[in-house]
Amino acid sequence: MCNVTNEKILQVLGGKIPQATFECNKTAAECSFQFWIQEDESFFCDLSKCDYEYDLAANSTHYKCEEVACECLPDKMLCGKSGSIDISDFLTETIKGPGDFSCDVHSRACKFSEPSMNDLIMNVFGDPYITLSCLSGECLHASEIPGFAIPPKDKFTLSDLLRVFSVIFACAAIVGISIYGAKQSPLFASGPVALPSDDNDGGDDYLMADYVPATFAFDKVSYSINEKPILSNSFGLVKPGEILAIMGSSGAGKTTLLDILAGKNKGGKKSGYFFVNGERIVSGDDLKHFQRACGFVDQEDYLIPTLTVYETVLNSALLRLPRSMSTEAKTAKVMQILSELRILHIKDKLIGSDFERGISGGEKRRVAIACELVTSPSILFLDEPTTGLDGFNAFRVVESLVRLAKDFNRTIIFSIHQPRSNIVALFDKLLLLSDGEVVYSGLMDQCSQFFADRGYQCPSGYNIADYLIDITSGDSSLIQATRTTEAAEDPRLDPLLESGESHRPPQGTGDDMTSEWAHYASHRDELRVLVPSGTKESNSSSPLATLFSKSTEAEQLHEDIKSLASVHRSEQASEDDPSFFKDDPNRARAGFFTQLSILCSRTFKNSYRNPRLLMGHYLLAILMGFFCSYLYYDVQNNISGFQNRLGLFFFILTMFGFSTLTGLHSFSIERIVFIRERSNNYYNPLSYYLSKIICDVIPLRLFPPIIFMAIIYPLVGLNMAGHKFWFSLAIIILFNMATAVEILIIGILVKEPGSATMLGVLVMLFSLLFAGLFINKDTIPGAISWFERISVFHYGYEALSVNEVNGLVLKEKKYGLDIKVPGAVILSTFGFDVNAVLFDIYWLLGMLGAFTILGYLGLYYFVYETR
Ligand SMILES: Nc1ncnc2c1ncn2[C@@H]1O[C@H](COP(=O)(O)OP(=O)(O)O)[C@@H](O)[C@H]1O
Ligand SMILES: [Mg+2]
């Protein structure tokens, strides 16, 4: 809408306002011009074959039309209305064009000129053309203005560079501080350690201090799983300074009995009476105190392969010794134990694993024992401490246990399977099991006489342990063979003969039982297979078990146990005898933060001694960062640039998401160590869990994405405007950590590594599916739209994409046509919420928190020892 500004015209019209409107259709190359007086149209012109010019710098437009055709509206001003001139003929006949309309948009000064019209105006009013003042306007998006050029991409500025470097420096600083912090931990101390003096005569005998000698007795110990009895009515008694060996063939119930005696959590139904120094273990609290005063060494060694012998034992000492004890005293105690167990010379050797050669099996066993000894246990339980060791090493292990019992007055109970005779000679007491029943329980040196008196004479020079195992294995033909010398002559009793083989020993003189027995012993396994199963006793109790249970020895033992209990009761009545199951406030163990720092420094040590995983993640981040930068170098603000950005983000999330699967493996390795240490009261599960989050999740999941982003942001040329860089860092970190903890939950809940990986991959894939790239939000069936709500990928992907693309204008030239799309439009078409960046970040944060809590609950309630 323009006002006519020619002075003369305004004067002639005498106050009536002349106006003109001008509009164009660029595609049709047509314009139209209308002339109004006092808001009443007088005439109009159609202009065609128009050409259009503009000058953005001068902010001016210029329309030039070759043909002009004008026409008056009848009876209007200038067109025949009474009292006014009539130019209708002039308009239709004379005005032919070309017409010209130009405007300086800024000053609003416009003009309309056409040669004949100009002549008329010149003649009548004395002006060269119609001058106008226009309020022009069009409804356009900025990007639709003809000639709009996409503003060049923001240059990477110095401040951007500073931002990227500040992030890298911050990471380096955090790593530096954590290394420093971890090195402060006593576990890292590499200074000289005081060696214990060779003659332990001083007052610094840590093994003798802080323990209560314990006489341990148990009676009527039974155990059954699903109504199937595994153990029945076991009983025994062992005093300080004594060693009780639980012997029996494999499957006899040794481990089961040992677990029950040590108060381990068992799946089946157990019953029995347990006494320490005559005091019965009644309540759960008693059991807890009892367990604290005991040590338990498993049949398998679950040691951390990357620690040295000294560090392994020190780790146990720092975690389990009273906090009131000084660190120096703890290290000195460790050294004393190492020297006591004769492993001081290997103290700086790594434990090693199947892949990396470390110390020998016998040495590992002694390290495991050392870990238990640090707490000065009154009673030490060991499950088959010699299994898997050669004769010499087995002897050394048992010998060190004997020394411990004798020199330090400890009570030691262990199970053992077929010990050599030099080892048997070291036992004080023996509990012989056969199919869960007690065949003998009492002094070792009376055992041989006991059986001999009942017709089971161990051949002289023969290993009594082998003999006992054989007679308890329930093979009557073997028992017979030793009970009657005639049996040696009876071919029916030698099934090897019957089967046609000639393993028959040289005929003995009748009383040469040794060689006779040696023959049977060496072939007993074959014999067992050959002897028809019908010969085995089918009734519930084996004759040997009945023999013992009816003996005076058994009666005497029951009496001893009973009298111990009554002596204790009378002592209790007379004086204030401190209970074995008491809480000593001086013995409070390492507090939560100490535990956390020790566990962290241990994990830390593990990482730097076995840096492949950590280095792998960092290298991957750096290499992939440069690779992606190469691939997506200097991404443009166009549609393909949009595709590239979305593709890049998807790739980043997938890469980091799937690399969190390594967490499954590292937890599955540690699982058994955790279970064992938890059951042996090393620490509470929360300290372990937090140390896992701090030392495993953070270094592996926090820094690699930061490094990656710091590389790709400048090189790919992603949007660094405002806080976008910080947001993207926050998003990728939260995403990566939430995924890592989500995977950790799977690792915690699913024991088998194979199934855990399978489930982990499935969760990832489902999460990916609903990220927003594979399916549009609006087309997800309503019933499963909540999948998207629980997909970490969805939040990460939406936030990253919106953070980057929102605010950009994407332009594409296709077939000469300019397609310009604001980023927000294309994002919302893709189903993304363009205002959701903060919302998504909060969700990621919430999910991280929820997963962390869930993971802890999983660890607390599902990962404990059941045997
Ligand atoms: N959790 C269990 N479920 C079923 N049977 C079990 C379980 N634990 C042990 N047993 C059975 O109890 C018997 C004794 O097992 P165990 O104490 O391990 O023997 P040992 O240590 O003497 O070789 C075996 O026959 C074994 O099959
Ligand atoms: Mg066993």
PDB file of all heavy atoms in Angstrom, residues 255 299 383-384, ligand 2:
ATOM      1  N   THR A 255      32.931 -81.835  52.022  1.00  0.00           N
ATOM      2  CA  THR A 255      32.727 -80.393  51.815  1.00  0.00           C
ATOM      3  C   THR A 255      31.450 -79.935  52.506  1.00  0.00           C
ATOM      4  O   THR A 255      31.407 -78.886  53.146  1.00  0.00           O
ATOM      5  CB  THR A 255      32.657 -80.089  50.304  1.00  0.00           C
ATOM      6  OG1 THR A 255      33.840 -80.588  49.695  1.00  0.00           O
ATOM      7  CG2 THR A 255      32.540 -78.613  50.032  1.00  0.00           C
ATOM      8  N   GLN A 299      38.207 -74.730  48.535  1.00  0.00           N
ATOM      9  CA  GLN A 299      38.964 -75.703  47.769  1.00  0.00           C
ATOM     10  C   GLN A 299      39.640 -75.038  46.563  1.00  0.00           C
ATOM     11  O   GLN A 299      40.759 -75.349  46.206  1.00  0.00           O
ATOM     12  CB  GLN A 299      38.021 -76.804  47.286  1.00  0.00           C
ATOM     13  CG  GLN A 299      38.749 -77.928  46.591  1.00  0.00           C
ATOM     14  CD  GLN A 299      37.841 -79.100  46.294  1.00  0.00           C
ATOM     15  OE1 GLN A 299      36.688 -79.120  46.716  1.00  0.00           O
ATOM     16  NE2 GLN A 299      38.346 -80.066  45.580  1.00  0.00           N
ATOM     17  N   ASP A 383      38.954 -76.483  52.982  1.00  0.00           N
ATOM     18  CA  ASP A 383      38.365 -77.561  52.181  1.00  0.00           C
ATOM     19  C   ASP A 383      39.419 -78.101  51.231  1.00  0.00           C
ATOM     20  O   ASP A 383      39.902 -77.386  50.355  1.00  0.00           O
ATOM     21  CB  ASP A 383      37.164 -77.013  51.395  1.00  0.00           C
ATOM     22  CG  ASP A 383      36.351 -78.143  50.785  1.00  0.00           C
ATOM     23  OD1 ASP A 383      36.611 -79.316  51.144  1.00  0.00           O
ATOM     24  OD2 ASP A 383      35.469 -77.851  49.951  1.00  0.00           O
ATOM     25  N   GLU A 384      39.753 -79.336  51.446  1.00  0.00           N
ATOM     26  CA  GLU A 384      40.756 -80.022  50.624  1.00  0.00           C
ATOM     27  C   GLU A 384      41.933 -79.127  50.258  1.00  0.00           C
ATOM     28  O   GLU A 384      42.155 -78.806  49.093  1.00  0.00           O
ATOM     29  CB  GLU A 384      40.097 -80.566  49.337  1.00  0.00           C
ATOM     30  CG  GLU A 384      38.865 -81.384  49.652  1.00  0.00           C
ATOM     31  CD  GLU A 384      38.626 -82.516  48.673  1.00  0.00           C
ATOM     32  OE1 GLU A 384      39.475 -82.716  47.781  1.00  0.00           O
ATOM     33  OE2 GLU A 384      37.608 -83.206  48.823  1.00  0.00           O
TER      34      GLU A 384
HETATM   35 MG    MG B   2      34.551 -81.704  48.313  1.00  0.00          MG
END
